[in-house]
């Protein structure tokens, strides 16, 4: 789940995460070299259905006396009628439930050392509870009440609304925090994937309690939700407790989902969105284009290739822009997949005076994928790095519960995990050439530049047709 809650499998990519870590050893081998890092497979779990059809995944992990319960709802920013509605509904679940106030819920959880968090992203909404296994009977009723019977308290909602409005305004003071939203808007235009899960200050101010209640009623239905439980518990007892807590929950509506595969834009020309921030002394920029779906069969191979380009500290982009040229503190690239589309992006930041130099060097480094390709030693190093980084992503109960929620939301199965390392081992130089040619956007790139427009407008115009907006304008560009 991207935390807020969701710890995404595509945590490669968002522009705001420009701090880089990790390194890899490089092999001098000139032939394919399989580096043994052990095998990793998804721990065993069982899937059951409650009497109302609610899908439940049960994964027993008895190493520590902890339990995580995660609920995922097929409802996110793509379902917003007013920008930010899904996110505010998810956050609103914590404003009191079944007669218990927000303060009451927080006090009970704090006393036990438990946590209960909610949030939403592009395609899902999440409720995540983590607690000591001995406290199951105290936490589960709160969890079920928050999911099924939120009060959406008017006074608490007004406070939340104001916090979000102020927070969104403050975020625009940090270009790296918001540039991904501008990029999504530029690429997807009027498609639902352009909707920022955060909303905007203006859209959040327009929301009403009635909209939150209607969104909850329309999408929070047993046939539109999956529950995943990971930790120290007895499966039969847990199923019985979940049946008691959630079994009476009935479908009252059919959740109406948008056809996200329709009207996905095609990039017909290079465009530049210039976001003017007059007080900026740096230029933060992203460029790229369309990417891949979550269930793309080449996901694993693309992860390896992208690791070489911009997915680790010793990547080409970071070496060239940070280490060799000294233009930035970090540069990276990544695929951000959704269920029916996705984006690929390269991102960094630099002094206003070196904007053109940094963009051109990033483009030149990106072009190495086609002009020189990947050699065997570099491929071996990246394969070892990716295999070594993979298991730690799924160590904790919270990570495993989040993974199963993503499996429900995006439609991939155990094979993604169980075959991941084997697919990494099987990647060849010839395959990397195919992946580069097929998936990495080369023509009609899309650019977002945030900085002092007076200083960088002429530079921006060299990369495509420019649309200029002020960073203080409502939303995230047109």
């Amino acid at each position: 789940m991207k935390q807020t809650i969701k710890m995404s499998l595509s945590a490669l990519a968002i522009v705001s995460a420009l701090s880089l870590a990790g390194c890899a050893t490089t092999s001098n081998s000139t032939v394919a070299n399989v580096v043994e890092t052990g095998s990793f497979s998804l721990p065993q779990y069982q899937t059951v259905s409650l009497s109302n059809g609610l899908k439940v995944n049960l994964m027993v992990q008895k190493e520590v006396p902890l339990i995580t319960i995660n609920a995922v709802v097929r409802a996110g920013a793509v379902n917003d009628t007013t920008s930010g509605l899904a996110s505010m509904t998810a956050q609103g679940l914590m404003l009191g439930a079944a007669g218990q106030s927000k303060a009451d819920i927080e006090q009970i959880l704090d006393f036990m050392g438990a946590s209960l968090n909610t949030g939403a992203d592009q395609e899902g909404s999440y409720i995540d509870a983590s607690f000591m296994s001995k406290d199951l009977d105290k936490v589960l009723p709160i969890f079920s009440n928050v999911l099924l019977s939120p009060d959406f308290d008017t006074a608490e909602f007004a406070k939340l609304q104001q916090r979000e409005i102020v927070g969104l305004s403050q975020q625009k003071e940090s270009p790296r925090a918001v540039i991904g939203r501008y990029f999504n808007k530029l690429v997807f235009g009027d498609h639902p994937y352009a909707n920022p899960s955060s909303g905007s200050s203006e859209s959040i101010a327009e929301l009403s309690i009635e909209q939150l209640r209607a969104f909850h009623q329309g999408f929070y239905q047993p046939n539109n939700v999956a529950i995943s439980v990971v930790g120290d518990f007895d499966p039969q007892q847990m199923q019985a407790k979940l049946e008691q807590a959630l079994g009476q929950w009935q479908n009252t509506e059919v959740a109406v989902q948008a056809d996200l595969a329709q009207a996905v834009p095609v990039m017909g020309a290079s465009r530049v969105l210039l976001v003017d921030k007059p007080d900026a002394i740096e230029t933060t920029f992203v460029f790229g284009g369309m990417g891949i779906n979550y269930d793309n069969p080449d996901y694993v191979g693309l992860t390896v290739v992208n690791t070489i380009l911009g997915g680790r500290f010793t990547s080409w982009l970071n070496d060239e822009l940070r280490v060799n040229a000294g233009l930035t503190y970090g540069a990276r690239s990544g695929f951000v997949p959704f269920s029916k589309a996705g984006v690929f992006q390269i991102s960094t930041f630099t002094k206003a005076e070196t904007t053109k130099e940094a963009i051109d060097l990033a483009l030149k480094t990106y072009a190495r994928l086609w002009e020189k390709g990947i050699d065997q030693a570099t491929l071996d190093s990246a394969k070892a790095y990716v295999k070594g980084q993979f298991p730690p992503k799924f160590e904790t109960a919270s990570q495993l519960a989040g993974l199963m929620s993503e499996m429900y939301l995006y439609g991939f199965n155990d094979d993604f995990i169980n075959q991941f390392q084997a697919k990494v081992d099987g990647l060849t130089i010839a395959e990397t050439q195919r992946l580069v040619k097929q998936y990495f956007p080369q023509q009609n790139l899309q650019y977002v530049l945030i900085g002092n427009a007076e200083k960088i407008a002429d530079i921006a115009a060299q990369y495509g047709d420019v649309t200029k907006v002020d960073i203080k304008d409502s939303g995230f560009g047109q």
Side-chain angles (χ1 to χ4, degrees):
M1 307 241 121
K2 251 180 221 175
Q3 295 291 24
T4 25
I5 310 295
K6 194 172 176 201
M7 196 97 168
S8 173
L9 294 177
S10 63
L12 293 165
I14 206 65
V15 174
S16 58
L18 287 175
S19 60
L20 303 173
C23 58
T25 58
T26 302
S27 168
N28 292 320
S29 171
T30 57
V31 295
N33 182 25
V34 176
V35 179
E36 290 297 332
T37 57
S39 61
F40 177 77
S41 59
L42 190 64
Q44 289 187 344
Y45 67 97
Q46 62 184 105
T47 301
V48 298
S49 294
L50 303 186
S51 59
N52 57 1
L54 178 63
K55 180 180 178 180
V56 175
N57 299 310
L58 301 172
M59 180 184 288
V60 177
Q61 298 276 282
K62 290 187 174 290
E63 290 82 0
V64 291
L66 299 174
I67 296 175
T68 291
I69 303 179
N70 180 284
V72 56
V73 186
R74 291 187 189 276
V78 295
N79 304 103
D80 283 350
T81 51
T82 298
S83 187
L85 176 56
S87 177
M88 289 294 283
T89 301
Q91 293 184 69
L93 301 176
M94 293 294 293
L95 302 181
Q100 282 186 308
S101 69
K102 175 178 181 289
D104 289 339
I105 292 172
E106 291 173 347
Q107 184 175 12
I108 293 169
L109 294 171
D110 286 347
F111 183 77
M112 293 183 288
S115 66
L116 181 60
N117 299 296
T118 61
D121 58 22
Q122 218 68 26
E123 296 188 68
S125 298
Y126 312 91
I127 305 172
D128 187 88
S130 295
F131 50 92
M132 296 288 289
S133 51
K134 66 181 179 61
D135 295 323
L136 172 62
D137 292 336
K138 298 176 183 177
V139 177
L140 183 55
I142 297 174
F143 179 90
S144 61
N145 288 339
V146 166
L147 175 60
L148 274 60
S149 307
D151 293 334
F152 294 119
D153 180 82
T154 302
E156 292 292 351
F157 173 68
K159 296 176 188 176
L160 172 64
Q161 205 169 22
Q162 286 305 308
R163 288 195 299 271
E164 290 297 303
I165 291 169
V166 172
L168 283 163
S169 297
Q170 291 174 338
Q171 285 176 25
K172 286 199 171 187
E173 292 300 314
S174 174
R176 277 171 270 169
V178 297
I179 194 168
R181 284 170 253 181
Y182 283 102
F183 186 72
N184 272 6
K185 182 62 180 174
L186 176 64
V187 171
F188 287 110
D190 295 328
H191 191 277
Y193 280 135
N195 299 345
S197 59
S198 65
S200 66
S201 297
E202 292 76 8
S203 68
I204 297 299
E206 295 173 3
L207 286 174
S208 67
I209 283 285
E210 289 71 30
Q211 286 177 283
L212 270 62
R213 289 184 176 130
F215 192 90
H216 180 269
Q217 183 177 347
F219 290 101
Y220 287 64
Q221 303 282 336
N223 61 7
N224 201 44
V225 175
I227 305 287
S228 295
V229 187
V230 180
D232 182 16
F233 59 87
D234 177 88
Q236 291 185 329
Q237 291 179 5
M238 179 61 73
Q239 184 176 350
K241 289 179 183 294
L242 291 171
E243 179 66 42
Q244 183 179 8
L246 302 171
Q248 301 304 311
W249 185 23
Q250 297 299 314
N251 296 301
T252 57
E253 295 187 22
V254 176
V256 179
Q257 300 287 356
D259 186 353
L260 299 173
Q262 293 296 315
V264 175
V266 175
M267 304 297 102
S270 290
R271 296 175 299 164
V272 181
L273 180 63
L274 175 59
V275 184
D276 185 22
K277 191 174 187 296
D279 62 346
I281 60 174
E282 295 177 340
T283 301
T284 303
F285 66 86
V286 178
F287 65 84
M290 282 296 177
I292 59 171
N293 299 0
Y294 243 105
D295 61 356
N296 190 294
D298 288 320
Y299 185 103
V300 175
L302 289 168
T303 299
V304 177
V305 175
N306 181 71
T307 294
I308 295 166
L309 174 65
R312 61 177 175 177
F313 188 79
T314 55
S315 69
W316 290 351
L317 286 167
N318 205 51
D319 273 351
E320 292 297 334
L321 275 83
R322 173 183 166 139
V323 179
N324 297 337
L327 293 171
T328 183
Y329 286 113
R332 63 188 296 119
S333 63
F335 288 90
V336 183
F338 303 132
S339 65
K340 301 299 180 184
V343 294
F344 170 80
Q345 55 195 34
I346 291 173
S347 58
T348 190
F349 58 97
T350 191
K351 294 184 297 184
E353 293 77 13
T354 55
T355 297
K356 177 172 173 53
E357 184 182 356
I359 295 175
D360 287 348
L361 183 56
L363 287 166
K364 180 181 178 181
T365 305
Y366 183 42
R368 283 174 60 183
L369 287 174
W370 293 273
E371 294 173 358
K372 295 184 178 180
I374 297 168
D375 61 71
Q376 190 65 55
T378 302
L379 178 59
D380 290 342
S381 171
K383 288 161 76 169
Y385 177 86
V386 169
K387 287 176 65 178
Q389 292 292 306
F390 188 66
K393 295 178 181 179
F394 309 111
E395 289 181 333
T396 68
S398 181
Q399 289 171 332
L400 288 165
L403 170 63
M404 290 190 288
S405 291
E406 288 198 334
M407 291 165 66
Y408 169 78
L409 196 61
Y410 296 109
F412 60 92
N413 59 29
D414 300 12
D415 288 345
F416 176 85
I417 301 297
N418 297 341
Q419 297 179 11
F420 187 94
Q421 290 176 310
K423 286 185 176 181
V424 172
D425 283 335
L427 187 64
T428 65
I429 291 293
E431 270 293 283
T432 66
Q433 294 168 346
R434 178 185 69 82
L435 296 175
V436 167
K437 182 177 180 180
Q438 184 171 348
Y439 293 109
F440 286 81
Q442 188 176 20
Q443 306 297 326
N444 302 326
L445 296 175
Q446 308 297 297
Y447 299 77
V448 176
L449 280 67
I450 302 181
N452 185 327
E454 186 175 345
K455 294 182 178 180
I456 63 174
D458 291 343
I459 296 171
Q462 297 177 35
Y463 301 98
D465 293 334
V466 177
T467 299
K468 178 184 170 183
V469 298
D470 192 287
I471 198 165
K472 293 182 180 179
D473 290 348
S474 175
F476 296 95
Q478 302 297 327

